[in-house]
Amino acid sequence: MRPFAAIFVPDELEDGLSDRAWLEAMLDAERALANAGALAGVVPPAAAEAIAEQCDADRFDVAELARQGRDAGNPVEPLVRALRERVGDEPGAYVHLGATSQDVLDTAAVLVARRACELVDLARVVDLCAALADEHRRTVMAARTLLQQAVPTTFGYKAAGWLVGVDEARERLAAVVLPAQLGGAAGTLAAVGDQGVELLRLYAAELELPEPVLPWHNRRTPFLDLAGALVTTATALGKIAGDVVLLAQTEVGEVAEAAGGASSTMPHKRNPVAAVLAKACVRHVHANVGVLYESHEHERAAGAWHAEWHALQTALAATGGAAAAVARSLDGLEVDRERMRANIAAETLSEAERVGIDAAQPDDYLGSVDAFIDRALKRCQTP
Amino acid sequence: MRPFAAIFVPDELEDGLSDRAWLEAMLDAERALANAGALAGVVPPAAAEAIAEQCDADRFDVAELARQGRDAGNPVEPLVRALRERVGDEPGAYVHLGATSQDVLDTAAVLVARRACELVDLARVVDLCAALADEHRRTVMAARTLLQQAVPTTFGYKAAGWLVGVDEARERLAAVVLPAQLGGAAGTLAAVGDQGVELLRLYAAELELPEPVLPWHNRRTPFLDLAGALVTTATALGKIAGDVVLLAQTEVGEVAEAAGGASSTMPHKRNPVAAVLAKACVRHVHANVGVLYESHEHERAAGAWHAEWHALQTALAATGGAAAAVARSLDGLEVDRERMRANIAAETLSEAERVGIDAAQPDDYLGSVDAFIDRALKRCQTP
Amino acid sequence: MRPFAAIFVPDELEDGLSDRAWLEAMLDAERALANAGALAGVVPPAAAEAIAEQCDADRFDVAELARQGRDAGNPVEPLVRALRERVGDEPGAYVHLGATSQDVLDTAAVLVARRACELVDLARVVDLCAALADEHRRTVMAARTLLQQAVPTTFGYKAAGWLVGVDEARERLAAVVLPAQLGGAAGTLAAVGDQGVELLRLYAAELELPEPVLPWHNRRTPFLDLAGALVTTATALGKIAGDVVLLAQTEVGEVAEAAGGASSTMPHKRNPVAAVLAKACVRHVHANVGVLYESHEHERAAGAWHAEWHALQTALAATGGAAAAVARSLDGLEVDRERMRANIAAETLSEAERVGIDAAQPDDYLGSVDAFIDRALKRCQTP
Amino acid sequence: MRPFAAIFVPDELEDGLSDRAWLEAMLDAERALANAGALAGVVPPAAAEAIAEQCDADRFDVAELARQGRDAGNPVEPLVRALRERVGDEPGAYVHLGATSQDVLDTAAVLVARRACELVDLARVVDLCAALADEHRRTVMAARTLLQQAVPTTFGYKAAGWLVGVDEARERLAAVVLPAQLGGAAGTLAAVGDQGVELLRLYAAELELPEPVLPWHNRRTPFLDLAGALVTTATALGKIAGDVVLLAQTEVGEVAEAAGGASSTMPHKRNPVAAVLAKACVRHVHANVGVLYESHEHERAAGAWHAEWHALQTALAATGGAAAAVARSLDGLEVDRERMRANIAAETLSEAERVGIDAAQPDDYLGSVDAFIDRALKRCQTP
């Protein structure tokens, strides 16, 4: 995310999504292909070794590859040329054997995405929400529907809802299957004769990636699954951020971020900056997944494939940025119990009474809050 | 979908998504609530019976309810008033007990969506694709990448890719969990004291719907899951439709829809109308799911909830429309084997030779096509 | 917008976007074509008269046309057939002369959209905002940035910002040029020999529509211009609605809608229902315009054209719905001056002081509020 | 656009959208503010001079500012601190006088966007289209509707359609008004007493930017106007790219890019790489403008503002990338007249005959093609 990436994206994630990281992943794919080829008997072991040795990102200039890639429409074609040159004539013929550019770039995208997903720190957010849910089980506050006070609830119950949302997102992300990609120009793996299925199996194994039932050059279910999980994640994080921003309003004042942000003109302000940045990130996730909603023509799409790279990267960066920002927002969040109680409007209380609740006995008028919090906590326990 | 709904949406699905269908589903929810209340001991059995008897769509005017609903911002408030009136004073007090408008409308949305999903006939598309994959295993054609001929493939292998895509979509749709909704104004079920959890359990059971871990008024994972499955479905269908349109081009001429569409000025034309309509539907799915990507404020969203109804309905209608259109497109699809073979350009063949393939021996130059088709067919077999 | 259209869309607009309205517009196009043909000398006057006489929506069943239109992929082909039948053999040959289905449907879309835009009542919103801006010039309230109180402003200045936004939207909408469409199958008007340019001129004149420089079957600038204007309109309306919802929060309480909405469970609540519905409508506008962002293939798009109809209709309905809802929200809006003043937090005032302002002398610490309000009012005066 | 920016975005444009370019633009805003303050009499001339001298991008580390900006949620707050430090105590008090962070960042965004728009080279595309339209007036080819051959047209007429589309886009882009931003924390310019309106005028004049009627912190019409123009531009470019890809299909073969792209596995292929990359860019424009469709809360949005930066930048980069790619695609485009004529199918010709056209006399069966091309060329002449 440019400009000012550091505002939105954690450094480690930004590195994990850099051009350098993509280059490394492409070289991982080429190396795995050579090794798998050797195991399948279509690449001489010495050639595989020579290739693997050259699959080192320090030996390539990714900016230059991108520049050269403009002509071919992707960075793999110049990378393969450069790799062949480095490997030398004879073993060079075995570089990229059986593969097409998309095999290498899709596999690289999978590797980059997998690593990026590991850097989206939802576990931290889950822990923070769980702690708030437990600590504030009985911290009474007004529930708000259409931003109007409704009946009482507790802050712990609100946090339990956040918790379940993020935990569901974590499940969705963990369930995404991103397989290796290998099919050759047409997905038939024709260049390796009848060794295709075996080569695919070995290649996936080399990369410790799942093996697809078919090559998926033009059937993007894996990335749609990822898109869905990122949407769910971003929306769950956006829920927390949105509630924090609303609760932190000057007139509500029920929470404040521990490190509330400074203003360039108003030093007294304590902006819920982390929550605000999270909300911005969420919008980028929602917008970029839409780029992935495209049916790919025939055996390789004329544009839809090329558009994925940036969309995937931005969606991953923004999801990770949102997670980090929400964690900052919740970490040390100041919860003002007195203000929560005091804010409850007279009508809200009388409504509580209307349905037979004695406001003096929280156990009664809070309905099933406790039971639901227990269910939420139980659901989210890491095994 | 207006205007001209019949062009895009099957009649049965259009009915299943009508205002009348929503009314019936809302009444199903009210009836289930009364019955569950009776079982939980918070509603007198006689009152429950009286309520259930009135929960009959013929007794209400949905157009009028919508008109009245403008003031409350939803149709449930006037429906509850009308239902109370019909039920009469005493049992009337038990109508809607413990619930809020969103409980009833969300549950109705779940019921409507569940029925609509059943009407999205992917099984038919799976069968048609499987038949094409098997019949055309060896029907050689040019693979096309960036719409340029690459190396040979077979039409059966192309259909196998369609098949896996639609089958994955079917799996995604089947895996969506849409639970009952019941939480009362704040999700605490406070109005029924400590009976909330039990009431939720009984209510879900009455409706034969899954029970949520917590009320989900403001945590829309179920609809995001549905959105993801609809996107995957639409994209898989759009893939088929897009390929059909490209293959049916005058200059390609490899397939033709059995009932190719007439033109108002050019009787000689045989437009791939069904595929074209499917592509239009797909765009509506992609656009409308985006409306669901919103974090809901506090205990009930101020607008994001209200926007869901139309978005869900359109996305469901368009998905079903796309499925029906693709089925029409593939049903009796004319596949011109000679044209497929003849279209393979000289360079494409020589490329085939370049990688050591004897064009006269399809078994060789088709690589792993057969094996992959077998894997696809095996994957998609209904148990 | 389904379900429950009446909640969101004014009846008159709903009628103006109905299938019946589309049918009338299609017949307007066919009538204009016959009349223009007569003037150009390519249609015998008697035939034109006979055709015009039959161009009466009462004589056709639009539901049946839609059903038949499934085969051709549009409703014009069956309409032309039905019209020819009604007109009879000889004059029937002159029905639709020179035109293609898209000519008639695009022209109908233009007519429907133009009428719908007239029903989007921005003038009312402008008047309401202007009145608020003037009346509340000196109604001091807290400005809020990132939802935190910043320095003082006035409610009139806030309303002046709303005013300019809606007035800019009104300008954008008024500036949209939606021309007639006529080009025949390929946009060449070949069927009328060298009379094409003249026929186009006469046809546009008959319809009182602008004449395009070229037929625009596959160059959708007019609808993109409309899309842009609808986005600007919806966003300006959403701004007002969003601010009203925030100001109406229980804890803020600075405004209340005159007809605040009832809740099915909480009679004490006074929900800002109109603003909430406006926010929902806005989301539909934003989502549906995206469907129009598509480049159309060759001389007629295979799907992108067909997707426009529903997207245009929904975007227009939702824009009109948002405008009507915002007008309801602002009409009689209760503005609580005391609460506004009282809500200003101590720090906010001291900030005001920090920059050299005497809080007792509003003229000073309100900066250029008055001058800006004057500029806004002047800009928005209808000539 | 990452990864592999160079594949998609021209170097000069990439530079114009870099963090460094944003920093320069922010410093331009601060310098203009100091100078305007001096002219308005609220900043001592010596202080303004001292500030202006320090407004030099070489003196700041933008990466470090972004890192520090995480806490404040924007890069302006640390920039102002750093600038004050450099300027020293006394004049430092006049740095940023009257302004808020958003004033500086919005103005910077305007400056960056304005420069980027100048780098979107539509003039080149207009020239290329105009040349094709003129040269190929009589180059007969099949028109294609729903990708089926319809009646004959000419390639020049197709190019004339492209031409008008891009020229309309150029007009839209040129008509966008991006004003300076200055309002202070609440848009009241209260910090400079009654000098606000004058300060705004002088500031805008310093920057050679239009003056807004009101500060527009929370009324984003300028960026919505830009968004609309970018959509129109991208869609017009996508139209050309899409048609080129379709015409370049192996089976159609009517055009070929001069520098058709190489494939990593299939040296014989001549991919229409530039057109493909343009199509990918277009998708990013369409997705990113959607991020700008948001109503901003109160006097500064809590997230929607922060999301604009990346969305604007990506939309601008992708629009410029699309324009450059389309220019590469059309520059030297090989047009195969014989193939165009030969591709016209028998039925298409007989259709031509059906409407009374003698295929041997192009003047007749091409209808108004010539007249329309003349209109298109005349419209697009630069004055």
Side-chain angles (χ1 to χ4, degrees), chain B residues 287-300:
Chain B
N288 278 277
V289 294
V291 175
L292 305 173
Y293 299 169
E294 181 95 334
S295 307
H296 287 210
E297 299 103 338
H298 284 326
E299 278 69 39
R300 181 162 316 126

Side-chain angles (χ1 to χ4, degrees), chain A residues 142 144-151 245-246 248-252 254 265-273 276 283 343 345 347-348 350-351 354-355, chain C residues 142 144-151 245-246 248-252 254 265-273 276 283 343 345 347-348 350-351 354-355:
Chain A
R144 293 161 178 111
T145 59
L146 318 194
L147 301 201
Q148 297 291 303
Q149 286 197 12
V151 295
V245 168
L246 288 171
Q249 289 175 98
T250 311
E251 300 82 5
V252 178
E254 300 184 0
T265 43
M266 296 167 288
H268 71 275
K269 283 191 66 178
R270 189 132 153 236
N271 289 320
V273 165
V276 164
R283 288 188 67 73
N343 275 343
E347 317 84 71
T348 308
S350 65
E351 157 62 16
R354 196 184 62 79
V355 293
Chain C
R144 293 160 177 112
T145 58
L146 317 196
L147 300 201
Q148 297 291 304
Q149 287 197 13
V151 295
V245 168
L246 288 170
Q249 289 174 98
T250 310
E251 300 82 6
V252 178
E254 300 184 0
T265 41
M266 296 168 287
H268 71 273
K269 283 191 66 177
R270 189 132 154 238
N271 288 321
V273 166
V276 164
R283 288 187 67 73
N343 275 342
E347 316 82 73
T348 308
S350 67
E351 157 62 15
R354 196 184 62 82
V355 291

Side-chain angles (χ1 to χ4, degrees), chain C residues 22-372:
Chain C
W22 281 82
L23 172 61
E24 287 170 5
M26 292 190 290
L27 290 167
D28 288 346
E30 293 287 358
R31 186 190 309 107
L33 182 63
N35 289 342
L39 291 169
V42 297
V43 173
E49 215 171 298
I51 294 167
E53 197 195 322
Q54 295 298 330
C55 286
D56 171 357
D58 287 340
R59 302 176 191 231
F60 300 89
D61 175 349
V62 68
E64 181 55 28
L65 291 174
R67 216 161 295 122
Q68 292 175 20
R70 194 178 286 169
D71 289 338
N74 70 69
V76 178
E77 193 270 342
L79 175 64
V80 168
R81 273 192 289 117
L83 185 55
R84 283 194 177 129
E85 233 166 78
R86 295 198 73 88
V87 169
D89 260 17
E90 213 175 326
Y94 295 100
V95 166
H96 199 62
L97 182 77
T100 190
S101 295
Q102 193 178 355
D103 290 327
V104 172
L105 203 47
D106 277 357
T107 300
V110 161
L111 293 171
V112 165
R114 201 177 58 166
R115 290 166 197 161
C117 285
E118 289 163 12
L119 295 171
V120 175
D121 193 357
L122 295 183
R124 178 93 186 106
V125 179
V126 163
D127 287 348
L128 288 161
C129 289
L132 288 170
D134 197 38
E135 184 183 347
H136 292 284
R137 290 176 168 269
R138 297 293 172 86
T139 304
V140 176
M141 72 187 300
R144 293 160 177 112
T145 58
L146 317 196
L147 300 201
Q148 297 291 304
Q149 287 197 13
V151 295
T153 184
T154 75
F155 183 61
Y157 185 46
K158 182 183 282 275
W162 297 347
L163 171 63
V164 173
V166 177
D167 198 55
E168 286 170 338
R170 190 168 56 164
E171 272 181 10
R172 300 299 181 279
L173 261 185
V176 172
V177 175
L178 296 176
Q181 177 69 287
L182 189 65
T188 60
L189 281 165
V192 294
D194 59 1
Q195 288 296 82
V197 169
E198 177 65 2
L199 185 67
L200 171 56
R201 191 185 67 74
L202 293 164
Y203 172 76
E206 278 285 315
L207 291 158
E208 297 179 16
L209 288 175
E211 184 188 344
V213 61
L214 305 187
W216 47 286
H217 296 118
N218 54 1
R219 194 187 73 252
R220 311 306 274 173
T221 316
F223 287 155
L224 294 181
D225 286 344
L226 178 58
L230 294 177
V231 164
T232 300
T233 304
T235 309
L237 294 166
K239 163 65 178 163
I240 302 174
D243 281 359
V244 166
V245 168
L246 288 170
L247 293 174
Q249 289 174 98
T250 310
E251 300 82 6
V252 178
E254 300 184 0
V255 305
E257 289 188 358
S263 149
S264 71
T265 41
M266 296 168 287
H268 71 273
K269 283 191 66 177
R270 189 132 154 238
N271 288 321
V273 166
V276 164
L277 293 178
K279 280 165 63 86
C281 286
V282 168
R283 288 187 67 73
H284 292 301
V285 180
H286 289 168
N288 278 277
V289 295
V291 175
L292 306 173
Y293 299 168
E294 181 95 334
S295 307
H296 286 211
E297 299 103 338
H298 285 326
E299 279 68 40
R300 180 161 317 124
W305 172 51
H306 308 75
E308 285 176 353
W309 317 332
H310 176 71
L312 275 171
Q313 185 181 54
T314 307
L316 290 163
T319 303
V326 166
R328 288 202 307 278
S329 180
L330 295 185
D331 195 2
L333 186 78
E334 295 171 20
V335 178
D336 190 333
R337 295 166 193 251
E338 283 67 40
R339 185 78 181 261
M340 283 179 173
R341 168 70 75 165
N343 275 342
I344 299 177
E347 316 82 73
T348 308
L349 278 170
S350 67
E351 157 62 15
E353 290 163 348
R354 196 184 62 82
V355 291
I357 286 162
D358 174 8
Q361 302 191 7
D363 290 1
D364 296 347
Y365 72 85
L366 291 176
S368 303
V369 156
D370 249 330
F372 281 137

Side-chain angles (χ1 to χ4, degrees), chain A residues 285-302:
Chain A
V285 180
H286 289 169
N288 278 278
V289 294
V291 175
L292 305 173
Y293 299 169
E294 180 95 335
S295 306
H296 287 210
E297 299 103 338
H298 285 325
E299 279 68 40
R300 180 161 318 124

Side-chain angles (χ1 to χ4, degrees), chain A residues 201-219:
Chain A
R201 192 185 66 75
L202 293 164
Y203 173 76
E206 280 285 315
L207 291 157
E208 297 179 17
L209 289 175
E211 184 190 343
V213 60
L214 304 187
W216 47 285
H217 297 116
N218 55 0
R219 194 187 73 253

